[in-house]
Amino acid sequence: MAEQPHPPRVEKVLVIGAGVSGLTTALELARVRENGKPRYDVQVVAERPADQTVSVIAGALWEFPPAVCGQHGNQLSIMRSKRWSVESYKEFRKLAPQAGVHMVTSNFYFGVKIEDDWLEHTKMRELEKLSQEEEIQGFRRMTQEDLKKVPASFGVKDGYQLQVPAIDTPLYTRWLRDQLKQQSNVTVTYGKRITDRLVPQSSKIRKDWGVDAIVNCTGMGAAELAGACMVPLRGALVRVPVSRWPKDKRPKTAYAISKTAHQQDMVFIVPRETHLILGGLVEPSEYDTHIGKDYQPVKEMFDRCKRFDPELLKDIELSDTDVDVIAGLRPYRVENVCVEKEYGFNIVHNFGHGGSGFSLSYGCAREAVGLLESMEGPSFRVVDLRPAALHQHPETYADLETPAFTTIRLDGQEVSVEHPVYN
């Protein structure tokens, strides 16, 4: 297939997808100014409006990578995700307490001493440093007295506390939609679906829509449009109206316990403006979202939360008519989060965030904008070349070093290529 000419200047952009990634990318593009005027004309096209996407079903409690529901194990991907998540944290902190965003005290618990888990220890040290540098707020290592407040049956041995954004997803996606409506350089089209691989038809799509470049923010749809290896991570949440509690006793603290990424033994409790959210569930390769209160893992999920804080939930039952269950598919890409240019074509991808779409939203959107601004600049194609056994038997590869990189020419562009090093 012939390489397409790069546009001399990207001025008109088509964003495909209207979930949190698509709308955030469109908003960031719309806000770019040059000589006091909008730099881009932006068109958003999606099959469904934002309030009908998986984004409104997300737990949306900000977390620093590696996140349990994010699932990514590629170390370079995690390095990039950390930068994206801090960028998003700063933006959400500016928005709070409006647009459905609130800063909440969040307690993260662990079933092992953090120092005994290399990955979690590294993560905690970075969070502590970010807090000292005032990039994030409220880091505090938990004391033994703090840990004793958790029922012994959960086997909690360590934890820390942070002040993090909690996003009320229906309110926030509505805010995003309204922000785009206020932009004179943005048009949004719902009810249209772009199908098949983007690369072979990118020239036709650009001509049909009158744009210079395309940004693909289609989540699970990237399996079709980008040929990506996408795996759905089915999740479910129980929602309890906060009106069930007197105003002076409404929950204000978030809690999270996660022993492993693959066992359904998590506790996830997040207060929002309208509901208390209870989770969590991660079921890979399950596509059916028509699950409800009678689904056994949902019952077990609710029971775990109730055992964790029986006082908070003493008057709440899963069978209550005002308690509901929502389910959705987290769009996980097997290799890593994809914020990349398509080599030789005027396409930028921004998908594969797993369960971290909100946590990464602004950072990924801004990197996507940067890739558009330099269509002929360096690209990143990061492939996890480590053996699959590494993820099941990490102790065998405990001495894995930081990957080395080399620069090569591909399709006339400079590309950074990862070379894993094993001892």
Side-chain angles (χ1 to χ4, degrees):
M1 185 178 297
E3 183 176 312
Q4 295 182 353
H6 291 287
R9 178 177 168 84
V10 176
E11 295 180 337
K12 298 179 180 180
V13 181
L14 178 67
V15 177
I16 307 175
V20 65
S21 296
L23 295 186
T24 306
T25 300
L27 184 58
E28 287 297 299
L29 282 165
R31 288 173 168 174
V32 177
R33 293 292 184 268
E34 186 175 79
N35 299 322
K37 297 180 180 180
R39 168 74 168 80
Y40 299 102
D41 287 324
V42 184
Q43 296 185 62
V44 180
V45 59
E47 184 178 10
R48 299 186 302 275
D51 58 2
Q52 296 177 27
T53 68
V54 70
S55 292
V56 296
I57 303 172
L61 180 72
W62 182 92
E63 189 178 359
F64 190 68
V68 171
C69 294
Q71 295 284 308
H72 296 288
N74 180 286
Q75 289 304 304
L76 181 57
S77 184
I78 290 174
M79 287 166 56
R80 299 174 74 202
S81 296
K82 288 177 178 180
R83 184 179 72 250
W84 295 330
S85 68
V86 173
E87 190 78 9
S88 301
Y89 184 105
K90 293 177 181 177
E91 193 64 30
F92 286 128
R93 185 170 62 184
K94 291 177 188 176
L95 286 173
Q98 56 186 330
V101 181
H102 295 271
M103 300 299 293
V104 300
T105 299
S106 300
N107 294 343
F108 297 93
Y109 300 102
F110 303 89
V112 297
K113 289 292 293 181
I114 293 175
E115 283 80 1
D116 294 337
D117 185 316
W118 177 85
L119 202 58
E120 292 296 348
H121 188 212
T122 300
K123 176 177 174 177
M124 185 187 71
R125 286 187 300 173
E126 289 179 290
L127 285 168
E128 187 172 17
K129 186 173 185 293
L130 286 167
S131 182
Q132 291 169 350
E133 295 172 348
E134 299 184 347
E135 296 283 310
I136 63 173
Q137 297 176 322
F139 175 86
R140 181 179 72 85
R141 185 78 177 267
M142 289 188 183
T143 65
Q144 286 302 309
E145 289 302 312
D146 294 323
L147 300 175
K148 287 178 182 177
K149 296 176 183 178
V150 179
S153 61
F154 286 93
V156 165
K157 295 181 180 179
D158 212 338
Y160 52 76
Q161 188 177 86
L162 292 171
Q163 288 284 324
V164 304
I167 296 109
D168 196 324
T169 53
L171 297 178
Y172 179 70
T173 51
R174 193 178 308 142
W175 176 86
L176 274 177
R177 181 198 64 193
D178 292 343
Q179 289 295 303
L180 287 174
K181 283 183 178 179
Q182 296 172 21
Q183 307 295 324
S184 61
N185 56 329
V186 176
T187 59
V188 181
T189 302
Y190 293 126
K192 288 194 175 183
R193 181 184 178 190
I194 293 177
T195 60
D196 299 324
R197 286 290 299 273
L198 286 177
V199 166
Q201 58 177 332
S202 60
S203 181
K204 182 179 185 301
I205 292 173
R206 289 190 291 116
K207 182 179 179 181
D208 289 347
W209 288 86
V211 297
D212 304 312
I214 301 166
V215 183
N216 171 28
C217 301
T218 53
M220 285 300 300
E224 178 180 6
L225 297 190
C229 187
M230 301 295 297
V231 177
L233 304 176
R234 184 170 67 184
L237 299 171
V238 174
R239 300 191 304 180
V240 184
V242 295
S243 57
R244 293 288 298 270
W245 290 270
K247 283 190 176 181
D248 60 339
K249 294 185 179 179
R250 288 180 179 174
K252 297 180 180 179
T253 303
Y255 304 94
I257 300 178
S258 55
K259 294 178 182 176
T260 74
H262 303 290
Q263 293 177 335
Q264 304 307 328
D265 52 10
M266 293 183 289
V267 170
F268 183 76
I269 301 177
V270 180
R272 290 182 178 173
E273 188 172 331
T274 58
H275 290 83
L276 180 69
I277 302 297
L278 308 176
L281 198 64
V282 181
E283 296 181 317
S285 301
E286 295 288 347
Y287 285 85
D288 184 9
T289 57
H290 296 93
I291 58 176
K293 297 179 182 181
D294 59 344
Y295 184 52
Q296 187 60 32
V298 168
K299 293 179 181 179
E300 294 170 359
M301 181 178 76
F302 178 80
D303 289 343
R304 282 196 304 274
C305 292
K306 194 158 185 174
R307 284 192 296 108
F308 176 83
D309 199 333
E311 180 63 26
L312 175 67
L313 299 173
K314 64 180 180 181
D315 297 323
I316 310 298
E317 297 297 336
L318 187 58
S319 58
D320 294 345
T321 56
D322 60 348
V323 174
D324 65 352
V325 175
I326 53 176
L329 306 179
R330 306 174 183 95
Y332 167 62
R333 183 190 184 217
V334 172
E335 295 97 327
N336 49 58
V337 178
C338 184
V339 184
E340 306 170 0
K341 289 185 291 188
E342 190 73 55
Y343 299 123
F345 295 86
N346 306 333
I347 299 170
V348 169
H349 297 292
N350 180 11
F351 66 84
H353 308 93
S356 302
F358 284 86
S359 292
L360 304 180
S361 57
Y362 282 96
C364 287
R366 288 167 184 172
E367 182 149 332
V369 172
L371 292 175
L372 283 172
E373 290 176 342
S374 57
M375 292 295 291
E376 297 181 0
S379 293
F380 298 91
R381 174 71 70 182
V382 184
V383 180
D384 191 347
L385 300 174
R386 297 173 298 168
L390 172 59
H391 303 289
Q392 281 76 44
H393 306 286
E395 68 282 356
T396 306
Y397 299 90
D399 295 326
L400 178 67
E401 295 180 353
T402 302
F405 298 88
T406 187
T407 301
I408 64 171
R409 301 287 296 180
L410 181 59
D411 291 344
Q413 303 182 53
E414 287 191 351
V415 184
S416 295
V417 180
E418 177 182 355
H419 291 273
V421 179
Y422 301 95
N423 288 336

